[in-house]
Structure formats: structure tokens, C-alpha cells
Amino acid sequence: MEFRQDKPIYEQIAEYVCEKVLNGEHKPEDKIPSVREFGMQLAVNPNTVMRAYEHLERNGIIYSKRGIGFLISPDSRQRAMDLMREEFLQAVPAFLNRMKLLGLRFEELQQAFDKQPGGLDPAKP
């Protein structure tokens, strides 16, 4: 995983876990790596992973089970989608401003989007 400079690392880790939930790699009740193990895999401080896990737990995407570790919540898919949508929508004003500054029209955006695999149908890969 490569980290970007525009967002705190713990948020990027939380987003990464959410993406795995949304694409089905993490299913409800799956155990996720321990804080130390995940920190080693990502080459980050375990405190950063713990912060990401706390964020995910606050949002109901994972939960802690004493003696076992962190597990994916039963309703994690919907909660991950809600969280990621909320974060995406917060970025929309800046995105629209950039479009305006660059003189881009929605039709151009639509054409670029349609070129992506799956087009507008989120059910298509």
C-alpha cells in the first residue's frame, strides 16, 4: 500500500479496510490482522493502525472481541458504504470548484466516466 500526502495515514488505512469490505474480500465476522501484524504488513507504527481501527470501530465497521481481536461487523458493508459516501461527498465542493477553474463541463466528465469499466452501472466490474 502506498500512502498519499493529502490524507492522514490512519484514514487511508481505514479506507483500505472499507474497500476490502465493499469488494467482498472481508466478510462479516472475518477476523482482521492484529494491530501489530497489520502495522508490520504496512510498515507503519502500530499506533497508527490502532487509530484506524478505532475509527472503524466508532463507525461500526469492525468490533473488538476480547481474546480474539478485531472482527468485521455483521452490517459492515452498509456502514462502510455510508462512511465512504459521506467522505466522498465532503470532497465534492472542491472537485466542482476544480472543474469550474479548468472549464470542464459535466458532459466531459460523463464521457470520461463512461470509458471506465462498468460505466454507470455499479453492479458491473
Side-chain angles (χ1 to χ4, degrees):
M1 180 172 180
E2 286 189 35
F3 297 107
R4 303 178 314 273
Q5 297 294 321
D6 65 331
K7 194 176 204 180
I9 291 173
Y10 85 92
E11 287 181 7
Q12 293 178 63
I13 293 169
E15 187 176 283
Y16 177 76
V17 173
C18 285
E19 288 173 0
K20 288 193 169 289
V21 166
L22 291 175
N23 71 23
E25 288 182 57
H26 286 329
K27 294 178 179 32
E29 304 303 326
D30 281 356
K31 185 178 180 313
I32 59 176
S34 71
V35 169
R36 262 199 193 105
E37 183 182 344
F38 207 28
M40 287 175 46
Q41 287 175 15
L42 300 175
V44 299
N45 188 306
N47 293 328
T48 304
V49 175
M50 189 63 212
R51 194 166 176 199
Y53 281 10
E54 288 170 347
H55 178 68
L56 292 166
E57 191 170 26
R58 266 193 317 276
N59 285 284
I61 297 161
I62 65 173
Y63 68 97
S64 174
K65 196 167 193 178
R66 188 177 175 109
I68 305 244
F70 287 96
L71 303 165
I72 302 294
S73 297
D75 58 348
S76 59
R77 182 164 171 64
Q78 186 60 52
R79 288 179 176 263
M81 188 173 294
D82 292 345
L83 178 63
M84 290 188 75
R85 281 182 178 186
E86 181 182 322
E87 290 174 357
F88 179 80
L89 289 173
Q90 288 175 359
V92 167
F95 176 78
L96 293 175
N97 187 49
R98 177 64 56 100
M99 279 184 68
K100 186 177 177 181
L101 288 172
L102 296 173
L104 290 171
R105 298 182 330 265
F106 283 102
E107 295 79 22
E108 293 172 280
L109 186 62
Q110 179 70 49
Q111 289 171 357
F113 189 82
D114 288 343
K115 289 180 183 176
Q116 297 298 309
L120 280 175
D121 186 355
K124 290 182 182 175

